Amino acid sequence: RMYRKEFGRLPDLYQPSGFNEKILVKILTDRRPFLTSFSDKLRVREYVQRVAPGLALPELYWSSDRAVSLHLESLPDSFVLKPNHGSGWLRVVADKRTVQREDLVRLARTWLASDFTIVGREWAYRSIRRAVYAEELLRGKDGGSPPDYKLFVFGGKVRLIQVDRDRFTRHTQVLYDEQWNAIEGTIRATQGASLPAPASLSAMIAAAEALSLGVDFLRVDLYDIDGKQYFGELTHYPNKGLNRFEPASLDKMRGR
């Protein structure tokens, strides 16, 4: 029903051809345990350190399954508050003097009481042991959000790189292949200006392919800050299989 509302037609789940349809089939049928391990934003850190040691992890300041144990005074001036069992749930705290601990605790309690799988039936999040945590707030050169490099890895090979900028203000996006050739189009965002390949492109591709070894599809989100590569997250179901590709032919191309 969500797919039909988004695209005006039902998905073909018996002979899927588009990327979105194949992601929906994955949501409905793939029950391999590593999907849960990769989706747990706390447990995945150990996997990343072991498999891609060249990637830096944002510093972890605090984590707990009890929201009330959050002590604002022990956290740095800026951080990001997140739950480990969902996607897109976060609170950026640029200056802790502007927030109230009670508000953060209330938000954390809401996350801990929420089942993320209700949103889009994304099975991988279902069995995660719920927790909340505070981690380092990564900043770009201008002090804002750094570019977000999302590497789509198919059968262990990077085939698409989505670059998002200014996600919380003037969100724009550009697409490239693994050789940094521009791909005309976007995925649920405004077309942005082209940008040079990061100096660490080959290192990011190598890390993404190492993390995806033996996996049919995985999106690996990374950051490059002053030439240092940071890990973001691993995603099995980009946009819940509701990616609005522009042009629509990109859906079929990525499905192939």
Side-chain angles (χ1 to χ4, degrees):
R1 289 198 300 268
M2 293 169 67
Y3 184 98
R4 181 171 60 186
K5 181 179 180 180
E6 185 73 24
F7 300 108
R9 64 182 185 278
L10 288 172
D12 186 343
L13 301 179
Y14 298 98
Q15 293 182 310
S17 59
F19 178 81
N20 284 322
E21 290 175 337
K22 291 185 177 183
I23 292 298
L24 293 186
V25 171
K26 191 175 186 69
I27 290 173
L28 292 167
T29 64
D30 194 344
R31 298 296 180 262
R32 289 174 290 179
F34 75 81
L35 272 72
T36 296
S37 300
F38 284 8
S39 299
D40 186 324
K41 291 176 172 54
L42 289 174
R43 287 178 63 194
V44 76
R45 294 171 67 96
E46 185 278 329
Y47 173 74
V48 173
Q49 287 180 317
R50 175 165 49 85
V51 175
L55 288 178
L57 291 166
E59 186 174 350
L60 182 64
Y61 301 130
W62 166 83
S63 66
S64 177
D65 60 0
R66 299 176 63 249
V68 72
S69 69
L70 187 151
H71 296 290
L72 191 59
E73 62 275 10
S74 66
L75 295 175
D77 290 339
S78 63
F79 59 91
V80 183
L81 186 68
K82 298 178 180 179
N84 71 323
H85 62 287
S87 180
W89 291 349
L90 59 89
R91 174 71 184 273
V92 174
V93 178
D95 183 350
K96 70 178 185 181
R97 294 171 299 181
T98 65
V99 299
Q100 297 294 321
R101 174 184 177 275
E102 293 75 17
D103 293 336
L104 297 181
V105 170
R106 188 180 304 111
L107 177 60
R109 281 175 172 158
T110 299
W111 285 335
L112 290 171
S114 300
D115 181 356
F116 185 76
T117 62
I118 291 175
V119 179
R121 303 294 190 251
E122 296 170 272
W123 175 84
Y125 296 100
R126 179 165 295 172
S127 299
I128 293 175
R129 295 188 297 273
R130 298 178 191 177
V132 287
Y133 64 101
E135 71 173 12
E136 179 183 2
L137 173 60
L138 301 178
R139 297 183 185 273
K141 291 182 179 180
D142 60 355
S145 299
D148 190 351
Y149 297 88
K150 301 179 184 295
L151 288 76
F152 289 63
V153 192
F154 298 86
K157 295 294 181 182
V158 172
R159 299 299 186 198
L160 174 68
I161 303 173
Q162 170 188 330
V163 187
D164 291 271
R165 287 179 285 184
D166 301 317
R167 285 179 55 203
F168 305 110
T169 53
R170 305 173 305 278
H171 184 196
T172 62
Q173 186 181 94
V174 285
L175 304 178
Y176 296 93
D177 67 12
E178 66 276 17
Q179 302 297 326
W180 207 254
N181 298 308
I183 297 174
E184 188 64 31
T186 58
I187 309 173
R188 300 184 73 96
T190 300
Q191 181 77 48
S194 61
L195 69 163
S200 62
L201 177 62
S202 60
M204 287 198 292
I205 289 176
E209 292 182 348
L211 292 170
S212 306
L213 186 64
V215 180
D216 48 358
F217 168 76
L218 192 66
R219 196 189 77 194
V220 181
D221 295 1
L222 304 174
Y223 301 94
D224 180 295
I225 300 177
D226 294 330
K228 186 176 183 179
Q229 300 82 56
Y230 283 83
F231 174 74
E233 66 176 356
L234 302 180
T235 302
H236 303 291
Y237 320 123
N239 297 315
K240 307 175 183 64
L242 303 174
N243 300 277
R244 183 166 284 281
F245 289 98
E246 296 291 346
S249 59
L250 283 176
D251 182 46
K252 295 295 184 184
M253 186 184 303
R254 298 306 149 190
R256 287 195 297 271

